[in-house]
Amino acid sequence: MTSFKDVVKVFDKLEETSATLEKIRILKQLFNSVDPEEIDKLIYLTQGILHPNYLPMPPIGIAEKVAIKAISKMSRLKETNIKKIIDESGGIGNAIEKILKQRKSTKTLDSFIKKPGQAVSKEKDQSISEVYNSLDEISNQVGTGSTLKKIDLLSNLLSRSTPKEAKYILRIILGTLRMGIADMTIINALSIAFTDSKKNKEFIEEKYNICPDLGRIGKILSKKGLEGLNEINIQVGIPIKMMLAQRAKSIEDIFERMGAKFACEYKYDGERVQAHKNDNKIFLFSRNTENITKMYPDIVDAVKKLQSKTLIIEGEVVAIDPITGRIKPFQELMRRRRKHDIDQKKLEYPVELYLFDILFKNGENLLKEPYIKRRNILEKIVLESDLGENSILKLATQKIVSTNTELEQFFQDSLDQCEGLMIKSINESSIYQAGNRGYIWLKLKKSYQSKMIDSVDTVVIGAYMGRGRRGGSYGALLCAVYNKSKNLFQSICKLGSGFKDEDLERMPEIFGRLELIEKPPDIDIVAEKLVPDIWFKPEVVCSVIGDEITLSPDHRAGYNLIRENAGFAIRFPRFLGFREDKSVKDITTIEEIMELYNKQTK
Ligand code: AMP
């Protein structure tokens, strides 16, 4: 048994240091010193929780005013006085420490406030388990009369505690334990404490991603070492940490990262759900691995109908307009996300679940399978389950894309009811990276477009030869705006998106006569990587819209005006059309770009 008194001394040290390496060192010592039977409880308390959040347990928290009543009961101070002490000492944790220090001096408060005839209890250290069990008992009080019971139990616990123990007990209970201990800090400390190398943290993290319960992981490590973790496998009912996406920087960025061909799926604007099925037993988990089964009984019923004994699948749940059947904005779904009156809310706010991944099926772990295989398995299950047209389970709309035009078209289509696209690699290495935000998935959202308040008229100063379908012709254009004072055309974007097929077809005719062998002196560009394959005499005007005007070291427009070594650039530029009615004299100037930059919402 480890005494809680020793643990809180370490909590004080953890609070005092902000350096992560130091926190890891302190935690390592603590983990090594603790009884292996109690290390799970110690880890939960360090995280300020009693159980991993995927278990549908009542929350530990009680309101501050209830805690004040418990302190008042224990100390016989008036609640108003306690509030004053809280204000003076900067928080309830410090306040209870102060109150207990004053009242107890060297005695325990038990002996201090003993009732007539009651035996004086001998001062005895409380173990981690005793404190943990008392907190668990408090959190388990629910229903009528539970608040009074909680006050009683908390007041008893505080009276058994040293001032410092009481400080941390209250912080845990009120959810204000802020020692800056991230999950990775604990994983690092466990790795050093119980394996011979900190390198093992990767293996520990891998297990944590399929079993987000650091208490359990710590206990296995301290009792059985690293090998013991082999007993952790995917289990229906225990959520897998979700894979996340990076933001796509530009259309070019998408092709660069994904290669010539990739999958695009509609990006539904709702709530991520991981559904687990074991026969008729269904669990639903949120993006943060919280158990949300009770909030979506209609999804539970629908998932039950899938023809597989065990399954772990993922999708986005969205609110649906009951009359038109169209997807409603995210805010509407939040009206549905209630703990109470669910049956009523279910009728008022119907939902659909758009499935996009499968992680486990009939005992088989699919995380390491590439995207296409997982998608095929998912499609097969949905089709073979014969869900019927009215099922609220649907497959996320998907398309394999290999050209800018297809990407652009699919993106535009998605905006009718969705917020953009998820771009997913289809390489052999396109596994499901549990708990990771990597580049296997990219997101391309509509909102990225909204900042730029107007289009810009640019002059085309060069072109890059196309690849794939655009092979043998121009693939992207280099565009510039006009710097009056220097009389230069300064580059502002590389434009490769938004062209219709007929625009591409017309380009040789439009530009052929303007091709130059060398860069003309009135053209100003900066980045080596932006030198085009062909230069053009600056004559053709084209209108461009983007998601925003940003600052970039790559472009020359307004160089050094706002920031040293950076010019203006159009982020995510899209072609709106050639402006045959305009000449190069009419193009947007640096002053106008500056104005647009200042006007856009930051
Ligand atoms: P964000 O929340 O902006 O980081 O975007 C990622 C989120 O988009 C995911 O966590 C999902 O909740 C959501 N999402 C919507 N549609 C899809 C989809 N087809 N594939 C993956 N995630 C999706």
Side-chain angles (χ1 to χ4, degrees), residues 242-246 264-273 287 314-316 354-357 375 396-397 419-422 424 437 441 443 445 448:
M242 295 188 195
M243 175 167 177
L244 299 169
Q246 286 284 356
C264 294
E265 293 175 4
Y266 280 9
K267 184 176 191 310
Y268 298 88
D269 189 12
E271 174 170 26
R272 177 97 166 247
V273 169
R287 179 188 173 119
E314 268 186 21
E316 188 88 350
Y354 284 85
L355 297 169
F356 53 74
D357 220 319
R375 174 83 193 191
T397 303
E419 56 172 349
L421 295 178
M422 293 295 293
K424 300 187 177 179
R437 186 185 289 284
W441 288 5
K443 55 188 173 186
K445 280 206 236 177
Y448 298 169

Side-chain angles (χ1 to χ4, degrees), residues 22 28 94 109 196 199 225 270 312 322 331 339 369 417 420 441 470 499 515 518-519 564 580:
E22 181 60 8
K28 178 232 175 248
N94 295 342
L109 204 82
D196 43 16
K199 282 199 196 125
I312 301 181
Q331 290 75 9
K339 291 208 171 98
E369 299 296 343
Q417 293 193 59
W441 288 5
R470 292 188 193 171
F499 301 115
E515 283 190 13
E518 270 180 24
K519 180 177 88 65
E564 236 188 302
E580 275 104 333

Side-chain angles (χ1 to χ4, degrees), residues 248-484:
K249 284 206 202 95
S250 63
I251 301 278
E252 285 79 25
D253 184 39
I254 292 174
F255 278 91
E256 252 164 49
R257 292 198 184 272
M258 295 286 167
K261 225 180 191 189
F262 42 83
C264 294
E265 293 175 4
Y266 280 9
K267 184 176 191 310
Y268 298 88
D269 189 12
E271 174 170 26
R272 177 97 166 247
V273 169
Q274 192 177 87
H276 290 222
K277 174 180 190 288
N278 188 357
D279 272 337
N280 272 340
K281 179 87 188 128
I282 310 294
F283 307 82
L284 304 179
F285 297 104
S286 73
R287 179 188 173 119
N288 300 322
T289 66
E290 195 192 336
N291 190 315
I292 50 168
T293 314
K294 286 218 171 88
M295 291 175 198
Y296 298 109
D298 33 5
I299 291 183
V300 168
D301 287 342
V303 172
K304 269 185 200 164
K305 298 203 177 96
L306 290 172
Q307 298 293 311
S308 250
K309 187 172 153 44
T310 59
L311 270 183
I312 301 181
I313 49 178
E314 268 186 21
E316 188 88 350
V317 54
V318 289
I320 293 294
D321 185 317
I323 296 165
T324 61
R326 283 177 65 83
I327 296 173
K328 294 182 110 182
F330 174 73
Q331 290 75 9
E332 288 289 310
L333 182 72
M334 289 301 105
R335 294 167 189 249
R336 165 69 185 273
R337 206 182 190 283
R338 294 279 150 77
K339 291 208 171 98
H340 309 289
D341 301 330
I342 278 294
D343 285 331
Q344 178 57 30
K345 297 274 175 250
K346 186 172 94 175
L347 301 174
E348 268 176 63
Y349 304 104
V351 295
E352 284 176 353
L353 178 63
Y354 284 85
L355 297 169
F356 53 74
D357 220 319
I358 180 161
L359 318 182
F360 184 81
K361 185 192 164 217
N362 292 338
E364 201 188 339
N365 175 346
L366 302 173
L367 297 185
K368 300 255 157 72
E369 299 296 343
Y371 169 87
I372 292 286
K373 182 159 176 202
R374 298 201 311 277
R375 174 83 193 191
N376 286 343
I377 298 174
L378 179 66
E379 284 179 8
K380 200 157 170 252
I381 289 175
V382 171
L383 294 177
E384 287 178 359
S385 298
D386 196 17
L387 296 171
E389 248 179 55
N390 295 328
S391 171
I392 61 167
L393 292 190
K394 318 250 181 221
L395 281 164
T397 303
Q398 185 245 34
K399 186 182 169 95
I400 304 291
V401 161
S402 59
T403 66
N404 274 7
T405 322
E406 281 173 325
L407 176 58
E408 185 69 26
Q409 188 59 52
F410 200 55
F411 179 60
Q412 292 305 333
D413 293 348
S414 77
L415 298 183
D416 182 32
Q417 293 193 59
C418 294
E419 56 172 349
L421 295 178
M422 293 295 293
I423 318 284
K424 300 187 177 179
S425 164
I426 56 173
N427 293 340
E428 271 309 296
S429 55
S430 57
I431 59 168
Y432 185 96
Q433 285 185 315
N436 192 27
R437 186 185 289 284
Y439 287 91
I440 293 181
W441 288 5
L442 297 175
K443 55 188 173 186
L444 179 59
K445 280 206 236 177
K446 171 179 65 175
S447 54
Y448 298 169
Q449 299 174 285
S450 61
K451 283 191 179 171
M452 206 167 137
I453 53 170
D454 202 356
S455 59
V456 171
D457 287 328
T458 64
V459 66
V460 182
I461 55 174
Y464 308 85
M465 295 312 285
R467 281 179 294 175
R469 275 187 51 200
R470 292 188 193 171
S473 182
Y474 309 119
L477 305 176
L478 180 62
C479 302
V481 287
Y482 186 49
N483 185 328
K484 254 195 221 157

